[in-house]
Every structure is written in C-alpha cells, then in structure tokens.
Amino acid sequence: MAAQSAEPAPPLEAYGDLPEIEHMALSPNGKGLAIIGRVHGERKLTVIEDQAVRAATGLGEAKLRALDWAGENMVTAVTSATQRLGPEFTTDKAEMFGVYLIPLDGGKSELVFARSQSLAKATFGNYGTRLVDGKWTGFYGGVELKRSDRGRVGWEFDHGRPALFAVDLATNNPRKIGYAPGESHWRKWLVDSAGKPAAVLDIDTSSGRWQIDNGQGAAIASGVDRQGDVSLIALGTAGTSLIYATDDRDTQERRWFETPLAGGAASEFLPGVTLERIYVDQTNGRIIGYLPRSGGNAVLFDPAAQATFRKVYRAFPKLHVEIEDWTPDFGHFLVRTSGNGDSGSWHLVDLKRMAADSAGTERPAIAPAQVGPISTVSYKAADGTALDGVLTLPPGRAARNLPVIVFPHGGPHAHDTASFDWWAQAFASRGYAVFQPNFRGSTNRDAAFMRSGYGQWGRKMQTDLSDGLAELVRQGVADPKRACIMGASYGGYAALAGVTLQNGLYRCAVAVAPVSDLADLYSKQNSASGDNLMVRAQLIESLGSPAGFNAVSPRRAADKADAPILLIHGKDDTVVGFDQSTAMAGALKRADKPHELVVLRQEDHWLSRPETRKQMLEAAMRFVTQHNPAD
C-alpha cells in the first residue's frame, strides 16, 4: 500500500529517471543559459538567450558531467565514456573524459584535441579557461602519442602521463605549455590570468616526495607524504601567492597553506576552519571565498561580495541552497534549491532588479506536497561518538512505527545533507522511512572525523548504522521488526555487511555496485596502479591491514547471511568491478542463501543512463516490498 499522502504517489519513473534539468550554466553577461535537460521528451543541450533559443542539439544517451561558458559565443561540455583498453594498460577498461567545444555562431562542435593526430582524444585534467590576448583559451591535460615503430603509419600509445596544453577554443589548436612528468611521477598545474603556468606540483609516487615550483621553475614548497595527500588549491586573492593543502599525520587534520609565488615563508591559511568547498574567480584562478563544512553559508573575502551572497541566500529560506554560477560582476546568480516541498529547482537571481525568477524544475511530476519531509537526526554511537543522519519520511503519514530503510552513502568519504534525494524519496513515497546516517568516515565534519573511519570497514563504521536505527526505534519512528538496508558502492558493501557480518537487524539487503571482498578490491586497485607504493599506502590507510580483510568481507561470510540479498551492478563499472557482485552471488549460491543478481547492461558506477537507473530502482522497490512490505 502506498504512502497515505494528500495526493497519490507519483510513478516510480518520476524518481528514477534522469531529472528534466541535469546541468545549467550562466553566460558571463547574465543573458544566456546553457541547459542540459529534456525538451518535449528529448534530451538536449539548449542555449537560451533573452528568452529565445539560440542553439539546440540532441544528446541521446551521452554522459554529460559539466557545462560552462567560454565568453559569450561558446559553451564547453565535459563528457565521459567507458572505453576498453589494450594489453599495454594495467586495467581492461576505464572511464575516459573529453571536452566538447560548442560554438554558438554556427560553427561545428568538436572534441578538444580532435584535430591533433599526436594527442589522445581525451582530456586528463581541466585547468580552466582564460581570455588571453583577446582569445578564449582552455587549459587541459593531454596525453601525447608517439610515432608508430612497428611498421605502421600513424601514432600509438607511449605513456599515460599528461602534459599541459593551452587550446585556442576558436580553432581547437593546442600548444604545449607544461611538460609531462617523468616515470613514477604525477603532476598538476595552476594557470594564471595571463594563461601561463603559475605553479606546478610534482609528486614522486614511489617515495611520496613532492615539490611545488613557481612559473619560473623555482621551488617554493616541498615535503614528503607517503599517501600523496597534497593538492594545489588556487591562487591567492591578489594572484601573487599560492594556496596548497597537505595532511598533518600527527593531528589527522587537513591543513591549508599560503606561500608567495616569488618564494618565502608559508603561512597557514584559515587555521581551524574545515572547508566543504572553495569559490574561485574563473577568469584568473584566484580564490574568492569558501563554504565551511560546519554548516552555514558561503564566506566571501570581499565585503561587498559577501553582502551580495547574503542577499541570494535570503531569497530561499528553509531550503538547501547551492549557488551554482554567477556573472563576474556578481549581478546575476544561478541557484539550485531542494528540500522540503522542493524536488529540485533552478532560479535566476537578478540583484539589480532584486528578483528571483524560476529557471525550471528537475522533477515536475513530483508536486511539493508529494516531497517527503526531510530532517536531521542527531544520535550517539555505542562508544559515545556524536553522529547524525538525514531522515526522510513518507508524505502525509505520521512518523510512528514505520517500516524503515537504512541507506548509507557511498564513498565512504562523502556525506548526506537535508536535501531532496531521488532514491530516498522514491521509497518514502511508498510508505518507508529512509535514514541516511553520516557514520564516522563521512565528510560532514572535520578531517579527524573522516579519518576515524580508517580501518573501520565492517566494524565501527558498520555499527554506526545500526546505532542510528536503534535511535529511530527509541524515538518511536521506526519499527525494529520492519527494517531493510540498501546502498550503493561503499553503501552497497554496508548493505551486504548488515546481513552477513551483522545479524538479526534487517529483513533484506539491496546492494548496488557493492564491494564484497576487500582483498580482491585491494589486489585489483594495486594492479591497476602498476603496484604503485603510494596507492598501496592509501589503500592500507583507508581499508586497514590486509591481514584483516577476510574478517570484514561479506563474500567470506556469505554462509552467515540471515536475510535475502539483491545484488545490482553495471557491466561497465570501472570503480568497483562487476565481478565483486558475481563473486558474492556465487558465494551465496554455494551457501544456499536467497539472493538475486540484476545486471545493468552498458551502465557505469554512477547510474548515468536513464533506462538502467529506472531498471535499478524498479528492481530494488520490487525486492524491498516483497520482503518488507510497507503495510
């Protein structure tokens, strides 16, 4: 029986399908919108200017990851595709990214590097766009090919270490401005307002030694980190300094530093502040503000910009607000909201008119009254650790003694917020309370909290979930006899662990793209890296000692499964191999435990295709309602 809301529940595909609006980007003058979404049922990239369609092109099932403008007459779109690789690679397939240049003046759209025979037709890092000498220029990592030495005419793979290229976006003509690193090294760059490399970070992946050089090749910072946790962040507010981040292994904190590009002593940047994200001026690569992880709104360094951002937030009280884009003069903003009564909406904010106009909704088939109430629940783990989670309730139904689904996030280094989640809302619409715990290891607090999950797969990270369930039972929200667990990626691992490593808690488990065997994950990720020592150190730090992998691998505990299990996995998954699910299914079959395996053809780790997303949700709903009916 569906949830007893004021209106009938929307069809399941209203949740599982790709949203009507996937991405938006605002033109620099504030007059144009580039939109990836559906128009009359067809998925398109549409450019609207002054309320008229300037350009439109069909997308089919292309996987679009990001959208941006380069001046007023070109849009760039980041896309990806799963590619099978040859025998010279350490893995059989990978997700390859590319950038399409879409001119709005009638020119032909094409992939960056498409005209260059000596470069692979993919991008390996996007370092922004700049207006250089009157020309819009994009900066991308590119892999150089070598002349074939096997009696063939043409080019062939040499190595996969990218160099930095400046690409004239009008002609798609690349020019190398930064050299590829040597063997066993990787390299990242920052590009200044003049289109020149202002800084380069080079890491020796065998020793962990790292060094940052300025544009003149002089070292301005260096150190050693066996896990390679060093990042270039942005240029300083004046463009004369560099901000970078490293991990302090003693305090378990992420620390940010600012150092002069000309050389000199580094000083700590924003000490004591844990950052969720930063805001960068896209015209010059300089930092302009940040979003604190502790909650609250964006903090801008310029007082006038801060006052402007506050006005934007005030326009959307009580909603989860994401400022997605803005014009360089801070006169126009593109804002996305979601939360109670809002299944995902986009707005154009014109501060000159002090007006916020609707730019579209993501799921028009879901009315405001059909959005399940969303709240945050605080609780404590058995060892006293303070935790929280997001609770989504069935619309129009009392929060008493409800069937419940524990829904841990993936990552595991991620977190859930009190915003609209299509998967959680789908189950809430059918009568279930859905709880998304931010267990230890999540990124909603400081770095120490995130690192407290290291080595806790199947241990405290797992009991944090059941402790959250116990809190909902204590509050009277959840019926302990009607609980299931589901999740994807790490969340899929946790779902499997919830009915194998733990017992007596859940009536069923749904695991999408799950890890089932930590030893196999460790071995294959090591192999894919070419047995890189840095990758090995990162894996051991996160997963724990290999000696303990079997004890926390659901595949090894399949004979202890005490509830039916549904496995769902994409064949094109390059993050968690499809064989993690087939191995788990095999172990369950040998143990004569009830289970199903649903294969998503041509699907990746992120459920990028609409048809297979809907297939996943339909299979999960069928399974849960069969084994844990809402009424």
Side-chain angles (χ1 to χ4, degrees):
M1 183 174 178
Q4 299 167 0
S5 60
E7 301 180 46
L12 204 58
E13 66 179 18
Y15 301 91
D17 205 350
L18 290 175
E20 293 281 305
I21 298 172
E22 299 173 45
H23 298 281
M24 274 195 186
L26 183 63
S27 67
N29 63 12
K31 297 180 179 180
L33 270 180
I35 306 166
I36 295 174
R38 279 199 292 271
V39 180
H40 303 303
E42 183 183 357
R43 190 162 171 263
K44 288 186 173 183
L45 167 61
T46 307
V47 179
I48 298 174
E49 191 167 320
D50 292 328
Q51 300 184 338
V53 176
R54 185 176 178 187
T57 182
L59 295 174
E61 293 188 352
K63 296 189 286 190
L64 274 295
R65 306 300 186 185
L67 196 61
D68 205 354
W69 289 73
E72 309 294 346
N73 296 306
M74 178 170 288
V75 170
T76 64
V78 178
T79 183
S80 77
T82 307
Q83 300 286 349
R84 294 199 173 275
L85 306 176
E88 64 267 39
F89 293 90
T90 56
T91 186
D92 62 342
K93 56 187 173 182
E95 196 73 9
M96 306 296 286
F97 289 80
V99 177
Y100 272 95
L101 307 178
I102 306 163
L104 304 180
D105 55 4
K108 181 181 177 181
S109 300
E110 64 182 16
L111 198 64
V112 164
F113 302 141
R115 302 186 186 186
S116 305
Q117 290 184 322
S118 60
L119 292 172
K121 305 306 180 280
T123 51
F124 301 83
N126 187 335
Y127 297 95
T129 57
R130 306 282 186 269
L131 185 61
V132 181
D133 297 329
K135 297 179 181 180
W136 281 99
T137 305
F139 298 87
Y140 308 103
V143 168
E144 298 171 284
L145 306 177
K146 66 177 181 179
R147 287 283 187 184
S148 176
D149 58 2
R150 292 181 286 183
R152 298 181 302 191
V153 176
W155 302 82
E156 63 184 24
F157 180 80
D158 186 10
H159 60 75
R161 302 185 296 277
L164 177 64
F165 290 86
V167 179
D168 183 333
L169 299 182
T171 63
N172 201 6
N173 183 37
R175 175 173 56 89
K176 185 162 68 174
I177 61 171
Y179 287 91
E183 191 171 353
S184 299
H185 286 245
W186 64 258
R187 187 169 286 178
K188 298 289 183 180
W189 294 266
L190 285 178
V191 177
D192 64 17
S193 59
K196 297 180 180 179
V200 55
L201 166 66
D202 190 280
I203 298 183
D204 184 335
T205 59
S206 60
S207 67
R209 293 187 179 277
W210 60 269
Q211 180 170 299
I212 300 173
D213 292 348
N214 63 17
Q216 290 71 48
I220 56 175
S222 61
V224 178
D225 190 298
R226 298 289 300 184
Q227 282 76 45
D229 289 324
V230 185
S231 303
L232 293 177
I233 303 299
L235 297 176
T237 55
T240 57
S241 61
L242 163 76
I243 299 165
Y244 66 94
T246 65
D247 278 358
D248 187 319
R249 298 293 167 185
D250 294 328
T251 65
Q252 297 290 291
E253 290 290 341
R254 188 76 167 163
R255 299 177 68 188
W256 294 39
F257 295 91
E258 184 169 14
T259 189
L261 287 172
S267 59
E268 193 155 5
F269 184 75
L270 298 175
V273 178
T274 303
L275 304 177
E276 174 70 15
R277 63 167 290 187
I278 63 167
Y279 297 97
V280 174
D281 186 333
Q282 298 302 317
T283 67
N284 55 31
R286 300 177 188 178
I287 191 168
I288 60 173
Y290 63 91
L291 185 67
R293 186 166 289 168
S294 57
N297 297 332
V299 177
L300 279 294
F301 299 128
D302 178 73
Q306 179 69 85
T308 300
F309 268 58
R310 286 199 189 103
K311 292 177 184 177
V312 176
Y313 283 112
R314 283 201 297 266
F316 308 98
K318 299 182 180 180
L319 288 173
H320 181 75
V321 177
E322 297 168 280
I323 297 178
E324 298 285 351
D325 206 354
W326 57 86
T327 55
D329 65 354
F330 293 112
H332 298 79
F333 288 79
L334 181 61
V335 176
R336 181 185 179 274
T337 62
S338 73
N340 286 306
D342 186 347
S343 61
S345 304
W346 293 75
H347 313 267
L348 278 172
V349 179
D350 185 338
L351 287 179
K352 295 176 183 176
R353 295 192 297 116
M354 292 301 292
D357 300 319
S358 173
T361 57
E362 294 181 356
R363 291 178 171 81
I366 302 174
Q370 294 171 321
V371 177
I374 309 162
S375 62
T376 300
V377 176
S378 297
Y379 67 101
K380 285 190 176 181
D383 65 359
T385 300
L387 302 168
D388 65 66
V390 177
L391 177 64
T392 301
L393 294 171
R397 187 165 179 173
R400 298 297 300 173
N401 207 36
L402 293 171
V404 62
I405 297 170
V406 177
F407 183 19
H409 58 69
H413 306 311
H415 68 275
D416 287 308
T417 60
S419 56
F420 184 95
D421 182 293
W422 61 271
W423 194 347
Q425 288 283 341
F427 277 86
S429 75
R430 269 55 182 174
Y432 297 91
V434 181
F435 187 58
Q436 298 168 272
N438 285 318
F439 47 87
R440 74 193 71 201
S442 300
T443 56
N444 59 317
R445 303 190 183 188
D446 58 20
F449 180 75
M450 186 271 287
R451 288 190 176 83
S452 68
Y454 284 172
Q456 294 301 318
W457 286 54
R459 298 183 174 92
K460 288 185 178 181
M461 283 176 24
Q462 191 67 32
T463 56
D464 286 350
L465 312 182
S466 47
D467 289 340
L469 173 59
E471 175 63 20
L472 296 184
V473 172
R474 187 192 69 79
Q475 293 184 14
V477 173
D479 181 349
K481 296 180 181 179
R482 294 193 293 163
C484 282
I485 184 168
M486 69 178 183
S489 195
Y490 172 82
Y493 163 85
L496 295 178
V499 296
T500 56
L501 306 183
Q502 293 178 299
N503 290 127
L505 294 170
Y506 306 108
R507 295 180 67 171
C508 65
V510 177
V512 180
V515 174
S516 67
D517 190 318
L518 269 66
D520 184 69
L521 176 75
Y522 174 79
S523 173
K524 287 182 176 172
Q525 290 200 358
N526 263 331
S527 177
S529 75
D531 292 321
N532 184 277
L533 294 177
M534 183 178 292
V535 170
R536 182 174 299 179
Q538 291 170 344
L539 289 170
I540 291 175
E541 182 176 54
S542 178
L543 300 176
S545 169
F549 286 169
N550 286 351
V552 291
S553 291
R555 176 188 174 191
R556 309 292 177 176
D559 61 329
K560 295 182 176 61
D562 67 344
I565 292 172
L566 173 63
L567 298 155
I568 306 175
H569 214 128
K571 284 283 287 184
D572 285 347
D573 196 327
T574 58
V575 179
V576 177
F578 178 71
D579 56 356
Q580 286 277 345
S581 281
T582 56
M584 186 70 196
L588 291 168
K589 183 178 180 179
R590 288 189 294 274
D592 196 25
K593 297 294 183 177
H595 70 282
E596 296 181 34
L597 172 61
V598 173
V599 179
L600 305 180
R601 306 288 176 185
Q602 297 180 315
E603 184 55 276
D604 57 27
H605 189 69
W606 305 279
L607 298 171
S608 300
R609 299 177 64 246
E611 293 308 315
T612 39
R613 271 171 56 123
K614 289 185 284 187
Q615 179 190 356
M616 181 283 298
L617 188 57
E618 289 165 0
M621 186 68 72
R622 170 190 57 77
F623 191 82
V624 170
T625 55
Q626 175 187 351
H627 296 287
N628 188 29
D631 289 299

